[in-house]
Amino acid sequence: MTDEALPANEAPSANEALSNLLHEDRRFPPPADLAASANVTAATYAEAEADLEAFWGEQAKRITWDTKPTEVLDWSNPPFAKWFADGTLNAAYNCLDRHVEAGNGDRVAYYFEGEPGDTRVITYAELTTDVKKAANALLELGVEAGDRVAIYLPMIPEAVVAILACARIGAPHTVVFGGFSADALASRIEDCGVEVVITADGGYRRGKPSGLKPAVDEALTKCPSVHHVLVIKRTGQDTPMTEGRDLWWDEFVGQQSAEHTAEAFPAEHPLYIMYTSGSTGKPKGILHTTGGYLVGVTYTQWATFDLKPETDIFWTAADIGWVTGHSYLVYGPLANGTTSVMYEGTPDTPHKGRWWEIIEKYRVSILYCAPTAIRTFMKWGADIPEQFDMSSLRVLGSVGEPINPEAYVWYRTNIGGDRVPVVDTWWQTETGMHMISPMPGVTSGKPGAAMTPVPGVSVDVVNDEAESVPNGSGGYLVITKPWPAMLRTLWGDDQRYVDTYWSRFPGLYFAGDGAKRDEDGDIWLLGRVDDVMNVSGHRMSTTEIESALVSHPKVAESAVVGASDATTGQAIVAFVILRADAGDGGPDVVAELRAHVAKEIGPIAKPRQIMVVEELPKTRSGKIMRRLLRDIAENRELGDVTTLTDSTVMNLIKENLSASA
Ligand code: 6R9
C-alpha cells in the first residue's frame, strides 16, 4: 500500500540513514543453463538504453493491435502520459481469442486448486467461451463501455472471467479484495460510481466457508448507483437475494450466447481502477489504461521471470484483489499464453505443506510470492518443504516488501534447492508493472537487494534537492522517465495525482520509498519514507533493523516501529515472531536479540523494547501495518483496522502483551 508523499522534514535525508551498516557479501550468479537461453541478456539493456521509445515500440509488438499505433509516447502534457495513443486493441482478445485462433485453445490457462481440495483445469478455449458469455450477460444488464463494475470475489476462476468480461466490453473493473469489509467496499463503489457488482455467496478460508454476499448487501444500502448484483455460487451458503437486483451467475450467465466479437478500444481507454489506501483521507483510485498497461505487464512477466510460455507452469501466489494478482495472475500471464496455477486458500490448510504439494503436483517452474509468506514458512521450519519434490522450479520471485537477506537465502536454499535464482521485484499499484528487479539470466543476485531497473525503466535515488546521490548513500527513490504501465491519474482527481506523485520533486515521479545505492550502484529498498525513525537525531530505516532481527536464528519475522520517547525523541520498539524451534521467548531471548541488533547495526539501533508475538497485523498484500503497532507501542486507541486481512490479530497482540506484562 502506498501512502501520500510526505513533506521533506518527515522523510529521511540522504546519507543520514544507517544504510550501510548491514553487510552483505553473498552473491548468486545466474545458473549457466538459464543464462544460456535467457530471454533478457546484456543486449536487452543496451537496446533499451540506446533508444527508449524504440525499445517500447518493439515491446508493443507482443500485443495484437486492431489498429497499430504509429506513436509510442505522448508526454506533451506531463505528468499525464499517453502511450501508443492512436493504436486500438481489445485486452480480452489479447488474453484469449488470439491464442485460440493461433491453435492453442487446448493449452491450459489455469490449474485451479480450491481450498477444500476441488480442482478445475481450464483451457484457453474454455476460458474464452466463459468470458464471451459473461460479456453478453453484462451487456444484457445494460453495462456499456466506460461504465464501472465492482468485483468482490474469492480466488476462484470466475474472478478472472469477470475481469476479462469487463475488459472485453470496455467497462473498467474495480476489484475489491474479498477480505475487505462492507464499509471499504461501499467507499470504493461510491468513489467511482459502480453500476454492477459481481460477487459470490462466500469463499473458503482456513477450511471454513465465509460469507461475502452479506457484506455486499450491507454496502449497497449506501450505494444507489448499483442496479444489479451477479452472485456466483461457491460455498452453497444460504444467501438472501434481492428481487429485481440480484441474479445468480450460473443461471443468468449460463443462458447467454457463447458468441461475442471483441470490439477494439483506443489504447488509452480505462482498463481498471484499483484502490490503495493513503495515509490520510479516502483511498486513492489508481487508474490504469489498456494499451500501455498490457504491453508493460506482458513484457515484464516475460523478462523478469524468463518466461517460456510453452513449457513453464507459473504460479503467482497472490490475491487477485492486489495489483500483483491483476498484473501477474491475470493480464500478463494470459496475454503471454501462460499456464498458471491459481490457489484459493491459505498456505496451512489443510496442512503446512500445501504450497509445496501444489508445486510438486503441477510441476510449477516459476513461483511468485511475498516475503511475508516466506517468513511464515521459515517460522514453520525447513523440514516441511523438504518432504516435497520441487525440482521443477527454475525461478523464484518476491514482491510486496523488502525481502530480508535471511529470508532470501532461506527461500533460495530451502525452496529453490540452492540452485534457483530469486528475483526481488520492486513495483507498486501505481507502476502497474515491475520496475526494479534482477534479471534471472543476467544479474548476480545479492540477498536483500532489488538491484537494477528493468530494461526500459529509468530510476534514480536522490537527496532533498533532487540530486542523484553517490554510490554508498541513501535517499528517495524516484522514477525519471514515463513507462507504459504507469497510472494515468487518480480516478476523478487529477490534482491529487499531481500533488501525491509529482510535486515533491518536479518532473520526477516520487514513489514514497526510501532507497540506497550500494558501493556497486545496486539498489536496496528501505521501506516507506514514513516508516523511518528518528532516534536521538539518527535516522534509521525500519527495514534494516527488521532484517537484523530476522538474521538471528530464533526469529522468523519482525516489525519495528518508532514510539515517541521523552529522552530520545523516538525509541525503537520491535515486535518479533519466533521460529517454531526457538522456545517461548522470555527475558533471555529478548536480551539476546537486543545484543544481536547492537552487534549487527550498532548500539544506537538497539530496540528499547522487544515484544514476542504470535501474529502481526497485515494488509491483503502481506504488508505489516506499522501504524497500528505504533498505536500499541504508544498505548493509544487503535486507528482504522478495516484494511487488515484479519482484524482479530490486534486483539491477540494486546492480550498477549497484557498477559506477559
Ligand atoms: C506490488 C506492490 C507498493 C509498495 C512500494 C514498496 C513496497 C513492493 C517491494 C517493496 C521493497 C520490493 N514494495 N515491492 N519494497 N522491495 N520488492 O506491492 O504494490 O501494494 O501498491 O505496494 O510496496 O514500499 O511502494 P503495492
Side-chain angles (χ1 to χ4, degrees):
M1 303 243 154
T2 49
D3 294 304
E4 308 287 318
L6 279 186
N9 59 2
E10 290 181 39
S13 60
N15 300 321
E16 267 192 4
L18 288 183
S19 308
N20 288 306
L21 296 170
L22 271 182
H23 290 295
E24 183 52 71
D25 299 321
R26 292 168 288 192
R27 296 286 179 277
F28 298 104
D33 53 340
L34 198 157
S37 60
N39 290 349
V40 167
T41 63
T44 319
Y45 287 93
E47 206 186 306
E49 186 86 359
D51 186 340
L52 197 65
E53 286 197 27
F55 177 81
W56 284 115
E58 268 313 297
Q59 303 315 318
K61 296 182 183 158
R62 298 174 185 280
I63 295 305
T64 304
W65 300 84
D66 221 61
T67 317
K68 285 201 170 51
T70 60
E71 176 186 44
V72 175
L73 169 66
D74 174 356
W75 193 232
S76 58
N77 179 30
F80 299 95
K82 290 186 182 145
W83 282 86
F84 314 113
D86 62 351
T88 66
L89 75 164
N90 185 288
Y93 173 86
N94 272 280
C95 291
L96 302 165
D97 312 53
R98 67 163 175 164
H99 304 308
V100 179
E101 287 167 15
N104 291 323
D106 291 340
R107 187 182 292 173
V108 173
Y110 292 100
Y111 288 112
F112 170 70
E113 276 276 317
E115 199 192 69
D118 55 322
T119 60
R120 282 161 69 181
V121 179
I122 303 159
T123 65
Y124 273 90
E126 288 162 346
L127 191 62
T128 305
T129 303
D130 289 350
V131 169
K132 287 180 175 177
K133 288 180 159 187
N136 285 327
L138 291 174
L139 291 172
E140 191 184 326
L141 294 180
V143 179
E144 291 176 5
D147 293 348
R148 275 79 62 205
V149 173
I151 298 173
Y152 185 63
L153 284 174
M155 284 282 289
I156 53 176
E158 285 81 0
V160 178
V161 175
I163 285 174
L164 294 178
C166 291
R168 195 169 183 93
I169 63 170
H173 52 79
T174 184
V175 179
V176 180
F177 174 53
F180 282 177
S181 64
D183 278 352
L185 177 62
S187 70
R188 286 154 177 78
I189 290 176
E190 280 174 333
D191 188 68
C192 66
V194 163
E195 302 207 5
V196 169
V197 177
I198 303 175
T199 188
D201 50 358
Y204 291 97
R205 240 184 132 70
R206 299 226 143 80
K208 287 194 214 91
S210 98
L212 274 179
K213 175 68 166 41
V216 175
D217 291 336
E218 191 187 329
L220 294 194
T221 57
K222 292 182 241 164
C223 304
S225 61
V226 175
H227 52 79
H228 282 100
V229 179
L230 280 171
V231 187
I232 292 155
K233 268 194 197 111
R234 171 64 183 142
T235 56
Q237 283 165 288
D238 214 12
T239 302
M241 300 287 276
T242 301
E243 186 69 40
R245 186 194 71 184
D246 301 351
L247 296 160
W248 287 108
W249 171 278
D250 55 354
E251 292 164 15
F252 190 69
V253 176
Q255 75 193 13
Q256 299 291 329
S257 153
E259 299 301 318
H260 180 271
T261 307
E263 178 192 343
F265 295 100
E268 286 297 338
H269 187 81
L271 181 63
Y272 70 81
I273 304 157
M274 165 135 283
Y275 284 88
T276 126
S277 65
S279 55
T280 53
K282 58 177 184 149
K284 295 175 289 197
I286 309 293
L287 178 70
H288 283 293
T289 59
T290 311
Y293 175 79
L294 209 58
V295 169
V297 298
T298 306
Y299 158 68
T300 47
Q301 190 215 7
W302 170 89
T304 308
F305 300 113
D306 190 46
L307 179 79
K308 309 285 197 277
E310 293 79 19
T311 48
D312 274 318
I313 305 290
F314 184 84
W315 183 15
T316 289
D319 198 275
I320 218 157
W322 179 25
V323 70
T324 304
H326 280 48
S327 297
Y328 300 107
L329 182 61
V330 182
Y331 285 110
L334 292 175
N336 277 318
T338 314
T339 297
S340 287
V341 167
M342 178 179 195
Y343 173 52
E344 178 184 27
T346 42
D348 53 354
T349 309
H351 59 82
K352 290 181 171 152
R354 185 74 190 262
W355 277 30
W356 321 127
E357 189 178 70
I358 291 174
I359 289 177
E360 181 179 273
K361 174 171 173 189
Y362 295 106
R363 308 287 301 152
V364 170
S365 55
I366 302 170
L367 172 67
Y368 192 33
C369 68
T372 176
I374 299 162
R375 291 186 302 252
T376 303
F377 299 134
M378 285 169 74
K379 177 175 74 178
W380 292 343
D383 50 321
I384 298 172
E386 229 170 63
Q387 298 157 26
F388 298 88
D389 173 8
M390 295 193 279
S391 57
S392 54
L393 286 169
R394 60 180 206 93
V395 179
L396 294 171
S398 171
V399 55
E401 280 187 291
I403 180 166
N404 322 93
E406 276 330 300
Y408 175 113
V409 171
W410 190 94
Y411 191 30
R412 186 187 151 92
T413 309
N414 296 290
I415 307 306
D418 209 9
R419 61 185 172 83
V420 180
V422 172
V423 290
D424 174 16
T425 62
W426 179 89
W427 60 294
Q428 308 177 296
T429 305
E430 290 85 341
T431 69
M433 63 181 221
H434 299 155
M435 300 297 279
I436 308 177
S437 175
M439 290 291 126
V442 180
T443 316
S444 268
K446 292 179 188 172
M451 304 297 294
T452 47
V454 169
V457 171
S458 311
V459 310
D460 201 355
V461 180
V462 299
N463 63 17
D464 284 304
E465 282 70 50
E467 297 154 347
S468 203
V469 303
N471 287 356
S473 314
Y476 309 95
L477 182 71
V478 294
I479 304 169
T480 57
K481 294 197 179 123
W483 64 102
M486 67 194 279
L487 77 165
R488 297 302 193 263
T489 188
L490 296 178
W491 182 262
D493 205 343
D494 287 348
Q495 191 55 47
R496 193 175 177 202
Y497 165 66
V498 175
D499 293 346
T500 307
Y501 305 105
W502 298 93
S503 55
R504 175 69 185 81
F505 303 107
L508 301 174
Y509 172 91
F510 175 43
D513 283 17
K516 77 175 182 198
R517 253 209 195 95
D518 68 16
E519 294 300 340
D520 306 322
D522 293 322
I523 294 172
W524 297 67
L525 277 306
L526 299 176
R528 305 291 301 165
V529 292
D530 32 323
D531 284 334
V532 165
M533 300 167 296
N534 189 329
V535 182
S536 306
H538 295 272
R539 302 220 172 187
M540 281 184 269
S541 126
T542 50
T543 301
E544 284 177 310
I545 299 175
E546 287 164 9
S547 286
L549 284 163
V550 173
S551 74
H552 189 283
K554 287 187 182 161
V555 176
E557 169 132 48
S558 81
V560 165
V561 298
S564 51
D565 184 283
T567 329
T568 55
Q570 274 188 312
I572 300 167
V573 177
F575 296 79
V576 299
I577 299 179
L578 297 179
R579 292 203 200 192
D581 54 5
D584 64 347
D588 290 354
V589 165
V590 168
E592 200 178 320
L593 295 181
R594 293 184 74 229
H596 178 73
V597 174
K599 178 173 115 294
E600 291 288 306
I601 303 186
I604 184 77
K606 199 150 71 167
R608 178 185 77 185
Q609 214 177 345
I610 296 184
M611 312 191 193
V612 176
V613 295
E614 296 288 324
E615 297 274 357
L616 290 167
K618 307 231 173 103
T619 66
R620 66 184 155 177
S621 58
K623 294 189 203 350
I624 296 165
M625 292 189 81
R626 293 186 182 74
R627 167 171 70 73
L628 295 177
L629 294 173
R630 266 195 302 270
D631 290 345
I632 289 216
E634 298 186 334
N635 267 323
R636 260 197 314 271
E637 276 292 294
L638 286 186
D640 180 22
V641 293
T642 54
T643 54
L644 277 180
T645 49
D646 175 5
S647 50
T648 57
V649 164
M650 291 312 294
N651 299 337
L652 269 176
I653 293 181
K654 280 168 116 181
E655 277 164 24
N656 179 316
L657 294 179
S658 46
S660 62

